[in-house]
Amino acid sequence: MPQRDLWGTLETTVLARPVSVPRGAAIGRHRESDVREAHRPAISDLACLPEHTLLERARAGEREAFGELVRRYQDAIYNLCYRMLGNAADAADAAQEVFLKAYRGLARYDPRRRFSTWVLSIASHHCIDRLRRRRATWVSLDSPPAQRASAAAPHPEEEVLRREVQDAVQEALNTLPPEDRLILVLHYWHDLSYRDIASVVGLSENAVKVRAYRARQRLGKWLKERGWMP
Amino acid sequence: MNPTETRRGETHPDVTMFDRWLAGEPMPAAAEAHVRACPECRETWEALQRAHAFLRRAPQVAAPADLYRHVLDRLPREDRRPALVWLLPLVAAWLVVWMAAWGISRMSVLWATPFGRTVLAAGEATLGLARTLAAIWTSVLHAVFWAPWGILLSVTGFLVVVVWLALLRYGCRVAVATYSR
């Protein structure tokens, strides 16, 4: 991995451009979503409906209403799966499974809970199970990066740079045990509080805080050793 | 986890303190002086800041363009109407039909006479026809109506079948009685 300042280059070339936040985006960061929006299905009337209405309709069997929820949360769920599993193919497959599990579990969904937290919770357990089935072997650093719609990328050099950054982030995350990685991903990418993370992973809030602390400490030392950050 | 006291009487910051400072809360002057002077705490604080900055700036991976379509394609096709509500009256109707057919076949008196056998055969043929019609009718109901109307019509259909069977049985008895006389 080159030791040049990927972050600085990325921020001056790619991230400096204004990014249109997709409609209905509820959780997580969406810095790349502007490129993707051109390929998304046309926004229907459902896009204007509030989440609870969509949930009611989805529970009554309206597939399109659930589809709208998928549209809103696909980036967040895919991102979580990608960060946990480390490669695009597994992440895409896992994200589909997560949404199918959510659809089948709609009858058990408690409306007092935030839908985003509920889906992230399903995704978290699914990814941890998947990693356990892999016998906890961490993903090879040579695994293919997330597939991008290269045709949609207006600047191929930016795309290459973006890919390098994504790989660097993934390499750093892969140094952590899955449970710790999950906590950091939920905290930094999905803006979940320690309390919410605790309810997702089934630990006490204090335990989550300690794990996050240790994971950050470990990651910080690793970043210095690699010379990525001073 | 808890702040621990150093030899100079100062305390090492704990997890919660570091966490608050990372979140942007200003570090008290005494704590800042301690972190600068204590090699262990300085190293920890620098590592935490490094990781924090790294993670905060890490971009999100966007989902593939076809993920949405794949999920929709894999959603179960059947609707989520309560299947059991449909099924119960239908199963009950089928049971009644079969029990009635069995009951009629056990009426040995019918077999005793040629006329009785004719009536029985006609009855069974009619039953077969009724079963076929009921199946078609049920599938139409499934396809066309939502649950409330479907339930109402299912119950109505069930009652019609019961009345029809009762009339058939009564007809058979009258026919046998008349012939026997």
Side-chain angles (χ1 to χ4, degrees):
Chain A
M1 179 59 59
Q3 292 191 8
R4 64 197 166 91
D5 185 8
L6 284 173
W7 301 107
T9 321
L10 181 81
E11 286 189 339
T12 51
T13 56
V14 184
L15 300 179
R17 289 204 317 275
V19 172
S20 61
V21 178
R23 293 175 73 178
I27 43 176
R29 288 172 257 183
H30 287 269
R31 290 174 187 168
E32 294 189 356
S33 301
D34 53 335
V35 179
R36 303 249 149 215
E37 281 303 292
H39 289 264
R40 293 287 151 77
I43 293 173
S44 66
D45 293 342
L46 290 170
C48 306
L49 294 177
E51 191 172 284
H52 63 88
T53 309
L54 290 171
L55 277 165
E56 278 169 22
R57 288 199 186 183
R59 290 174 84 158
E62 194 179 321
R63 296 165 81 244
E64 289 72 21
F66 187 77
E68 173 57 24
L69 290 169
V70 172
R71 200 185 66 78
R72 289 184 189 185
Y73 289 104
Q74 59 181 349
D75 279 343
I77 297 302
Y78 179 80
N79 181 70
L80 176 73
C81 295
Y82 183 85
R83 291 302 176 207
M84 288 304 294
L85 302 173
N87 70 80
D90 280 359
D93 190 48
Q96 288 182 37
E97 290 292 330
V98 166
F99 282 118
L100 290 174
K101 276 187 180 177
Y103 186 73
R104 286 193 288 264
L106 275 178
R108 294 190 301 277
Y109 167 67
D110 179 2
R112 286 170 300 181
R113 203 173 170 192
R114 275 166 57 197
F115 181 71
S116 58
T117 314
W118 184 65
V119 183
L120 284 171
S121 173
I122 295 174
S124 302
H125 290 119
H126 186 78
C127 291
I128 292 287
D129 286 349
R130 237 178 139 111
L131 287 170
R132 281 186 188 143
R133 282 203 298 273
R134 270 192 207 166
R135 295 171 185 273
T137 49
W138 292 347
V139 180
S140 159
L141 300 182
D142 297 329
S143 53
Q147 288 165 1
R148 304 279 186 278
S150 52
H155 309 289
E157 294 141 20
E158 288 178 9
E159 194 60 20
V160 171
L161 182 63
R162 203 188 288 272
R163 201 171 291 184
E164 277 186 36
V165 171
Q166 296 289 22
D167 289 351
V169 171
Q170 200 55 45
E171 188 179 346
L173 283 176
N174 284 345
T175 61
L176 301 171
E179 289 79 7
D180 293 359
R181 202 186 322 161
L182 175 63
I183 288 172
L184 291 187
V185 170
L186 289 173
H187 187 65
Y188 281 97
W189 273 273
H190 303 287
D191 300 327
L192 257 61
S193 66
Y194 290 130
R195 181 176 295 181
D196 285 340
I197 296 173
S199 76
V200 167
V201 299
L203 292 171
S204 70
E205 194 178 334
N206 221 23
V208 168
K209 213 179 271 186
V210 172
R211 271 178 176 260
Y213 167 82
R214 286 182 187 154
R216 279 194 204 107
Q217 207 176 9
R218 183 172 175 165
L219 188 62
K221 283 178 184 167
W222 187 86
L223 288 168
K224 190 181 179 186
E225 284 165 15
R226 291 295 297 246
W228 285 6
M229 293 183 88
Chain B
M1 178 75 191
N2 294 321
T4 50
E5 200 163 312
T6 65
R7 274 179 293 182
R8 287 185 297 171
E10 296 167 347
T11 51
H12 293 297
D14 67 359
V15 173
T16 310
M17 288 171 173
F18 277 126
D19 207 62
R20 286 207 307 263
W21 299 335
L22 273 183
E25 196 176 293
M27 194 185 280
E32 197 175 349
H34 170 79
V35 168
R36 253 203 310 270
C38 172
E40 190 190 330
C41 288
R42 192 174 60 238
E43 193 188 342
T44 299
W45 177 232
E46 283 173 2
L48 292 176
Q49 281 183 306
R50 209 177 291 123
H52 185 67
F54 178 83
L55 291 166
R56 265 196 327 149
R57 295 157 80 190
Q60 171 157 308
V61 189
D66 54 358
L67 178 67
Y68 170 87
R69 184 52 50 201
H70 280 153
V71 173
L72 275 198
D73 288 346
R74 288 180 65 185
L75 288 183
R77 286 279 166 198
E78 71 270 21
D79 58 38
R80 301 171 71 84
R81 294 170 215 170
L84 203 63
V85 176
W86 286 87
L87 215 60
L88 284 175
L90 292 173
V91 169
W94 278 116
L95 279 175
V96 169
V97 167
W98 281 107
M99 283 172 69
W102 178 79
I104 291 169
S105 69
R106 297 282 292 172
M107 292 164 64
S108 55
V109 63
L110 285 176
W111 292 104
T113 63
F115 179 75
R117 280 198 291 275
T118 309
V119 168
L120 187 61
E124 284 187 340
T126 318
L127 270 177
L129 181 65
R131 281 199 291 269
T132 310
L133 288 175
I136 295 168
W137 168 76
T138 309
S139 60
V140 169
L141 281 185
H142 268 289
V144 174
F145 293 101
W146 280 87
W149 284 107
I151 293 166
L152 187 67
L153 289 170
S154 292
V155 171
T156 314
F158 169 71
L159 290 176
V160 167
V161 170
V162 169
V163 170
W164 180 82
L165 283 170
L167 286 174
L168 181 71
R169 191 182 173 94
Y170 176 74
C172 287
R173 282 191 171 173
V174 169
V176 169
T178 309
Y179 184 81
S180 304
R181 233 186 271 139

